[in-house]
Amino acid sequence: IFGGFPFEKYHFIYRLLPYDMRHAVEHKNSASFALPERVTQSARTIVGGMAGITAHEFWHAWNVKRIRPAALWPYDYSRPVYTGLHWFTEGVTDYLDQLSIVRSGVIDEDRFYGYLSRIIQSLENNYASSIVSPQQSSFTSWLATSPYAHPYHRISYYTLGSRAGLMLDLALRVESDGKVTLDDVFRYLFENYYQKNQGVPEDGVEKACETLTGQSWKAYFDAHINGTESYDYNKWLSPFGMELTRTKPENMGLRALGVISSESIGQGILVRRVHPGGDAYASGLTENTLIIEIDGQNALDIDVEDYMDSKSKGDQLTFQIYQDGGVREIRVDYQERFVPYDYEVKIVSESKTKKARREAWLSSQQK
């Protein structure tokens, strides 16, 4: 992609540990990893446990150690440094590490599509992705684990940026008829910022896209990078012969009401997390609420999955709950305000043109 290496030597330093710990950090001419030793036990575990993270940190030799935000140029470790570009430095790197290992043949295309499916599904089922933009998640990253950050507003710029990288790459290829790709954007940033001893300004990625394609990308970045507008996934997937499908899973149980996680304990079912857009939340069923009864039956005596499968949109359920130090009754309207759908990226066309676009995207870039 870059036509050469910006270093004479590069070291991959692995610490293989007898316990489950995973950590990695990039440096200018090396990357350091702490991984459980079991990831080396077979080809399958090496691919699953080492390949992606190795590719990720190696990509950082370019993206963030050399191509880096102006806010990080030069580095200043004495204070918090704010930038809205972490979606690009880290999140897009997540996309690139998977793209690199499919291009190099370490994983096959089906596994890569599975990765894309999981990224999209995690975001489409996450309330925070509808109100927190990639730019905002980057800028406020210093508060990510702070009590000042609302728990429903917490989301990773890694995941947001990975999707952003995928969609931007596809959009560039479609809009330029294959003449401009995300690879070209990286070459442009490397040559016009790092090699000129400069950091990338906050709008530098957008401006690079505009310079390379000769058209404005303001509306796109305002919608999807600086904003939270929903993606029309199939608009960009279809030219590659791909499609994103959405299906309603079976046996959802309380998830059908927007209860993200729960567990049976003691006297009932303890709600751990709820989706703010779901039926449960709208009816007053919130986190750390104990469900004692459902429609007059002990919550622990009910097969909740079967029970919810028997319900239809428009039905009402009566819950007896313990909440805020007291027992009370609430009615939950089952309106399917939020359903955690399953999403899958799949190949639907093998036409010559679409297959050629897909191969140009996923083939090795070695010249």
Side-chain angles (χ1 to χ4, degrees):
I1 293 173
F2 293 97
F5 297 106
F7 42 74
E8 292 185 6
K9 292 183 179 180
Y10 192 91
H11 292 272
F12 296 89
I13 305 165
Y14 296 93
R15 294 172 180 83
L16 300 174
L17 309 170
Y19 46 86
D20 194 13
M21 176 186 175
R22 295 174 184 271
H23 181 262
V25 63
E26 71 279 0
H27 299 288
K28 193 172 183 180
N29 301 316
S30 66
S32 177
F33 306 82
L35 298 168
E37 59 188 5
R38 56 185 168 79
V39 302
T40 66
Q41 299 308 301
S42 68
R44 182 183 61 82
T45 57
I46 288 172
V47 170
M50 294 184 73
I53 196 169
T54 297
H56 183 100
E57 301 308 327
F58 190 46
W59 250 105
H60 276 321
W62 288 269
N63 191 25
V64 89
K65 296 313 294 186
R66 289 170 173 85
I67 302 168
R68 66 179 187 263
L72 304 179
W73 193 291
Y75 288 121
D76 183 354
Y77 298 107
S78 67
R79 61 183 178 85
V81 179
Y82 295 93
T83 174
L85 286 174
H86 287 316
W87 68 270
F88 189 78
T89 63
E90 289 290 358
V92 174
T93 300
D94 254 5
Y95 162 67
L96 292 168
D97 68 49
Q98 296 300 303
L99 182 63
S100 295
I101 61 176
V102 72
R103 282 176 169 177
S104 59
V106 175
I107 63 172
D108 60 24
E109 291 186 16
D110 286 342
R111 185 160 180 164
F112 179 64
Y113 300 141
Y115 160 77
L116 301 181
S117 301
R118 290 190 299 275
I119 289 292
I120 292 172
Q121 179 170 310
S122 70
L123 291 172
E124 289 298 317
N125 289 333
N126 189 330
Y127 171 76
S129 70
S130 68
I131 58 171
V132 179
S133 70
Q135 187 277 339
Q136 183 183 351
S137 71
S138 302
F139 194 81
T140 59
S141 60
W142 289 95
L143 299 176
T145 59
S146 164
Y148 293 103
H150 194 288
Y152 289 137
H153 296 184
R154 292 174 184 168
I155 191 166
S156 171
Y157 51 72
Y158 281 85
T159 315
L160 287 170
S162 186
R163 178 179 66 176
L166 163 68
M167 301 311 295
L168 181 59
D169 198 4
L170 298 184
L172 284 165
R173 291 169 183 271
V174 171
E175 290 296 310
S176 69
D177 196 24
K179 295 181 179 66
V180 178
T181 74
L182 194 59
D183 299 336
D184 298 303
V185 172
F186 272 99
R187 275 195 296 272
Y188 179 91
L189 297 175
F190 185 77
E191 293 167 2
N192 289 276
Y193 291 102
Y194 170 69
Q195 290 189 333
K196 294 181 179 179
N197 202 35
Q198 299 175 27
V200 179
E202 294 297 293
D203 63 351
V205 180
E206 178 185 340
K207 296 304 181 186
C209 294
E210 293 181 348
T211 300
L212 291 166
T213 62
Q215 65 189 68
S216 174
W217 284 80
K218 184 178 187 305
Y220 184 95
F221 273 71
D222 283 350
H224 303 303
I225 305 301
N226 304 318
T228 57
E229 187 175 313
S230 298
Y231 281 100
D232 181 355
Y233 292 103
N234 288 330
K235 174 183 178 181
W236 306 113
L237 289 169
S238 179
F240 297 82
M242 300 186 295
E243 180 181 79
L244 179 70
T245 62
R246 188 181 80 164
T247 57
K248 185 178 177 180
E250 298 178 349
N251 303 319
M252 288 193 294
L254 293 177
R255 291 188 301 144
L257 302 175
V259 176
I260 304 301
S261 63
S262 61
E263 63 176 318
S264 298
I265 64 167
Q267 302 299 311
I269 300 173
L270 181 63
V271 175
R272 292 294 189 187
R273 289 183 59 212
V274 297
H275 191 289
D279 300 331
Y281 189 89
S283 303
L285 190 63
T286 56
E287 294 179 356
N288 299 317
T289 295
L290 185 69
I291 302 172
I292 303 170
E293 293 183 358
I294 300 176
D295 289 337
Q297 302 179 66
N298 187 305
L300 295 179
D301 294 338
I302 298 175
D303 186 321
V304 179
E305 290 184 353
D306 286 347
Y307 193 75
M308 288 305 304
D309 283 346
S310 71
K311 297 297 178 180
S312 303
K313 184 178 178 180
D315 288 347
Q316 274 199 344
L317 296 91
T318 302
F319 285 21
Q320 186 182 80
I321 63 172
Y322 178 81
Q323 186 182 70
D324 297 330
V327 176
R328 66 189 183 96
E329 190 174 277
I330 63 171
R331 293 197 174 186
V332 180
D333 293 318
Y334 184 24
Q335 297 296 335
E336 295 187 349
R337 294 176 178 88
F338 166 76
V339 175
Y341 287 102
D342 291 334
Y343 292 81
E344 184 180 4
V345 174
K346 58 176 63 175
I347 302 299
V348 294
S349 173
E350 291 288 0
S351 77
K352 185 176 180 180
T353 300
K354 293 183 177 182
K355 187 176 181 180
R357 285 198 190 103
R358 199 164 65 245
E359 288 177 348
W361 170 41
L362 299 182
S363 298
S364 171
Q365 302 303 293
Q366 183 178 346
K367 307 303 182 196

